[in-house]
Amino acid sequence: MSLPTLAAALRSRGIAPEGILAIRNALSPALVGGDFTEIADLERAGVLHLYDRMQDGPRLPHGARVLSFVALPAGQARLTAFRRFLMRRPGIVPGDIVYDHDAAHLLHGFIAHAQEPIFCDVEDEDGVGDLIGTLTVQWPEPLTNDILPADDERIACLF
């Protein structure tokens, strides 16, 4: 028996998955250190939502609707947000990131290692609020492909 796909789960809620992106956030090896040795440390510190908004270069198009997932062991990922990403000019950091004391190490590490630091503002999207924190998917190999279309039939829902 095959598992339902992320696309099917979205369609069952009346959300067309076409044009939506899914991103799997894992801690970059360049940012490991201090208080952050794994992605779960960012979640415990309450800064995962900020890390998600730091991009090395224009990896997401301006205005993209994005399902954000946090990386789990064995290639799994858990839904953490559904938001529209609005790109800022290169190097312009949002105030909530700059002034978050818990994220200072993360921010400075990101800026030091990024080729082209890009930051995003976000707007929450409706339709999956009850799935945030509970929906788990199996991310397809290779895991380094961390941004995929939400209608990629290889993203299987484990719920």
Side-chain angles (χ1 to χ4, degrees):
M1 181 173 99
S2 65
L3 297 170
T5 64
L6 176 59
L10 292 172
R11 284 187 191 102
S12 74
R13 292 171 166 268
I15 300 170
E18 296 78 18
I20 297 174
L21 297 174
I23 185 168
R24 181 180 180 270
N25 288 298
L27 185 60
S28 167
L31 300 178
V32 171
D35 295 333
F36 306 123
T37 59
E38 60 184 10
I39 194 74
D41 294 332
L42 276 71
E43 199 167 24
R44 282 188 287 278
V47 297
L48 181 63
H49 67 290
L50 301 177
Y51 181 66
D52 191 28
R53 293 168 48 204
M54 299 178 195
Q55 302 290 321
D56 190 4
R59 299 182 68 213
L60 302 169
H62 179 74
R65 295 171 66 206
V66 178
L67 292 160
S68 297
F69 291 86
V70 63
L72 300 173
Q76 296 181 3
R78 184 178 65 254
L79 183 64
T80 60
F82 182 30
R83 303 178 293 185
R84 183 175 303 272
F85 277 58
L86 306 165
M87 302 301 136
R88 289 176 160 243
R89 288 189 327 256
I92 305 299
V93 185
D96 64 321
I97 294 176
V98 169
Y99 297 111
D100 190 310
H101 175 48
D102 295 327
H105 166 73
L106 183 66
L107 171 63
H108 294 286
F110 169 73
I111 291 171
H113 292 96
Q115 297 291 317
E116 185 182 351
I118 302 282
F119 296 89
C120 308
D121 292 314
V122 290
E123 297 173 352
D124 288 332
E125 291 282 323
D126 294 327
V128 298
D130 60 315
L131 297 178
I132 293 173
T134 60
L135 174 64
T136 301
V137 299
Q138 183 65 49
W139 202 263
E141 294 286 342
L143 299 178
T144 53
N145 290 341
D146 58 352
I147 299 176
L148 296 172
D151 61 353
D152 187 317
E153 295 295 323
R154 301 172 301 151
I155 305 174
C157 290
L158 305 174
F159 291 92

